[in-house]
């Protein structure tokens, strides 16, 4: 049985003796007069490429004001080391309401942060730690393997 699908176009050529003979015969001299003149080669347009600079042409320099100065770079670096801003008043008011803190502390950021730090820790629950040294399976779940398991 052939591994080629039954509707393969190449197999149709092999199955039809006339088509196979015409394919093996080469060019058909009867078709040659139908072509008038020589066949022009196919024209392919090349993609637009910037022409290379001519020798001796001056280079176009990038203006110096396009780059930051040393002072501007130093200012950017110093800004990156600045401490992050604290909580704004709206966030402090929201947290005071959520944790039941005195709303008068919202205006003083230091007092508010001290009150947040003084809150009690949440109660410990009976859930196990996410990562522990205890096995996550019970050894009693595994059936013991008989010594003659290979014998059936």
């Amino acid at each position: 049985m052939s591994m080629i699908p039954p509707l393969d176009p190449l197999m149709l050529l092999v199955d039809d003796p006339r088509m196979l003979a015409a394919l093996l015969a080469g060019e058909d001299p009867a078709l040659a007069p139908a072509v008038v003149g020589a066949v022009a080669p196919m024209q392919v347009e090349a993609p637009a490429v910037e022409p290379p600079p001519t020798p001796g042409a001056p280079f176009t320099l990038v203006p110096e004001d396009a780059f930051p100065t040393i002072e501007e770079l130093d200012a950017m670096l110093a800004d990156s080391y600045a401490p992050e801003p604290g909580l704004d008043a709206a966030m402090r008011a929201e947290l005071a309401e959520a944790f039941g803190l005195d709303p008068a502390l919202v205006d003083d950021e230091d007092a508010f942060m001290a009150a947040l730090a003084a809150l009690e820790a949440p109660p410990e629950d009976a859930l196990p730690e996410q990562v522990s040294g205890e096995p996550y399976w019970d050894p009693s779940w595994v059936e013991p393997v008989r010594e003659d398991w290979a014998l059936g």
Side-chain angles (χ1 to χ4, degrees), residues 4-91:
I4 300 175
L7 298 175
D8 187 6
L10 294 176
M11 287 307 296
L12 293 175
L13 289 175
V14 174
D15 287 341
D16 187 358
R18 291 179 296 153
M19 292 181 104
L20 183 59
L23 181 67
L24 295 175
E27 294 182 16
D28 187 1
L31 292 177
V35 177
V36 179
V39 178
M42 191 167 86
Q43 302 266 335
V44 178
E45 290 185 27
V49 178
E50 186 175 329
T54 58
F59 289 102
T60 304
L61 297 177
V62 178
E64 285 194 30
D65 61 348
F67 300 102
T69 63
I70 295 294
E71 292 79 21
E72 291 171 334
L73 289 174
D74 287 340
M76 286 184 228
L77 183 64
D79 186 40
S80 70
Y81 286 117
E84 294 185 17
L87 301 174
D88 62 343
M91 178 61 78

Side-chain angles (χ1 to χ4, degrees), residues 98-110:
F99 289 112
L101 297 176
D102 184 14
L105 296 174
V106 172
D107 296 330
D108 185 12
E109 185 176 356
D110 294 330

Side-chain angles (χ1 to χ4, degrees), residues 120-140:
E120 289 183 26
E124 292 288 329
D125 53 1
L127 295 176
E129 293 182 24
Q130 292 290 336
V131 178
S132 67
E134 300 175 10
Y136 61 92
W137 57 275
D138 187 0
S140 65

